[in-house]
């Protein structure tokens, strides 16, 4: 059992579910970059961890130099590791970390509305469906109209939680572009397009409450 979120990232070395999830997330990021019009592409990553999904994609992507990204992550060790990767890719002028609270809207000011919003490893760490709906509602502050939103949701105890996420996304003005389950069958990865209007000011300062703990990550 991982004792903190830094240790949780070690599971990427051993867990097929996480490895397959990462591969699909990178495919979807790559797809979104390919589908973006010429020019600047703004990306935000909510609870970004060490950024391996975005940074691993940019390492081999022709549009890397067009990407201006903000990654928001609370754990300083993960931020440090992510920043080292950014430096090694020569992207330090375009990609920044905020070592801070991703639930607070002010940490996104200047970086949104984004063309691509990455919300991976977040939906399973919300207290309930009310919180999920609240976060989905607040994504209108992070997302441009037409933005791609890439997300993950694990299943547990035989409950296909990703079905609920897809239903709620449909009801919150997100159109499904693609959805896959990992080959392990217990992790959903989706890419949706936001078809609503961008909301220039957030409805509330706290976009959501992250209530998960690493030893019970979902
Ligand atoms: C399940 S991990 C997902 C990390 C990354 N998105 C990924 O998919 O590899 C959840 C992440 O959220 C971070 N986190 C938890 N609460 C946070 C908060 N309030 N603000 C920013 N990051 C937070 C943790 O430190 C951890 O890195």
């Amino acid at each position: 059992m991982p004792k903190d979120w830094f240790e949780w990232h070690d599971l990427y070395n051993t867990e097929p579910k996480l490895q397959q999830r990462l591969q699909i997330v990178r495919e979807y990021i790559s797809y979104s970059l390919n589908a973006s019009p010429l020019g600047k592409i703004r990306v935000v990553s909510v609870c970004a961890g060490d950024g391996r999904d975005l940074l691993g994609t940019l390492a081999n992507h022709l549009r890397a130099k067009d990407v201006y990204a903000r990654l928001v992550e609370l754990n300083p060790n993960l931020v440090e590791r992510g920043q080292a990767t950014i430096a090694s890719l020569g992207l330090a002028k375009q990609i920044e970390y905020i070592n801070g609270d991703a639930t607070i809207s002010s940490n996104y000011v200047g970086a949104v509305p984004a063309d691509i919003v990455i919300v991976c490893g977040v939906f399973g760490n919300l207290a309930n469906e009310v919180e999920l709906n609240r976060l989905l509602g607040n994504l209108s502050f992070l997302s441009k109209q037409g933005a791609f939103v890439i997300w993950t949701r694990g299943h547990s105890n035989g409950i296909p939680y990703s079905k609920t996420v897809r239903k709620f996304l449909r009801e919150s003005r997100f159109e499904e572009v693609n959805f896959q389950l990992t080959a392990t069958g217990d992790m959903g990865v989706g890419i949706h397009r936001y078809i609503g209007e961008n909301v220039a000011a957030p409805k509330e300062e706290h976009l959501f409450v992250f209530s998960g703990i690493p030893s019970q990550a979902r």
Side-chain angles (χ1 to χ4, degrees):
M1 285 291 164
K3 72 173 180 343
D4 61 21
W5 288 114
F6 188 76
E7 215 172 76
W8 176 88
H9 280 65
D10 290 343
L11 297 175
Y12 274 114
N13 300 326
T14 52
E15 277 213 358
K17 173 173 72 174
L18 274 185
Q19 292 164 350
Q20 291 162 16
R21 164 195 190 276
L22 178 61
Q23 194 184 340
I24 302 169
V25 170
R26 284 179 176 165
E27 261 172 44
Y28 288 169
I29 295 172
S30 187
Y31 172 90
S32 313
L33 295 171
N34 291 337
S36 295
L38 288 182
K40 231 184 205 188
I41 306 171
R42 289 175 126 187
V43 181
V44 291
S45 181
V46 178
C47 298
D50 64 8
R52 67 182 66 200
D53 42 19
L54 176 64
L55 303 175
T57 310
L58 295 182
N60 297 302
H61 203 284
L62 286 173
R63 300 293 306 273
K65 288 284 175 198
D66 292 332
V67 171
Y68 286 77
R70 180 173 299 173
L71 290 75
V72 187
E73 166 57 48
L74 208 49
N75 182 301
N77 297 321
L78 289 168
V79 172
E80 196 182 322
R81 189 153 77 188
Q83 281 171 329
T85 310
I86 292 167
S88 73
L89 294 172
L91 295 172
K93 291 204 172 111
Q94 301 157 236
I95 304 201
E96 62 174 348
Y97 258 99
I98 298 275
N99 185 192
D101 190 346
T103 72
I104 296 179
S105 59
S106 55
N107 279 328
Y108 300 93
V109 171
V112 295
D115 302 282
I116 302 174
V117 178
I118 303 170
V119 208
C120 293
V122 176
F123 293 162
N125 289 298
L126 306 176
N128 52 40
E129 292 182 356
V130 175
E131 269 299 299
L132 173 62
N133 257 328
R134 190 157 81 90
L135 171 54
L136 295 183
N138 284 323
L139 287 181
S140 55
F141 164 62
L142 302 184
S143 312
K144 261 186 199 162
Q145 191 169 59
F148 293 99
V149 174
I150 297 163
W151 58 273
T152 63
R153 178 63 166 106
H155 297 178
S156 56
N157 304 322
I159 304 171
Y161 288 106
S162 62
K163 270 195 178 166
T164 312
V165 173
R166 293 165 80 191
K167 175 173 170 283
F168 283 11
L169 281 163
R170 255 195 320 274
E171 293 166 358
S172 307
R173 314 217 66 201
F174 291 88
E175 254 176 15
E176 189 163 292
V177 178
N178 204 346
F179 171 81
Q180 292 179 60
L181 273 184
T182 54
T184 57
D186 54 355
M187 175 65 72
V189 188
I191 173 168
H192 280 66
R193 265 198 123 152
Y194 180 56
I195 55 171
E197 300 276 322
N198 166 248
V199 174
K203 290 179 210 145
E204 46 195 345
E205 195 198 346
H206 274 97
L207 305 176
F208 62 102
V209 174
F210 187 103
S211 51
I213 52 170
S215 60
Q216 289 170 24
R218 291 174 288 171

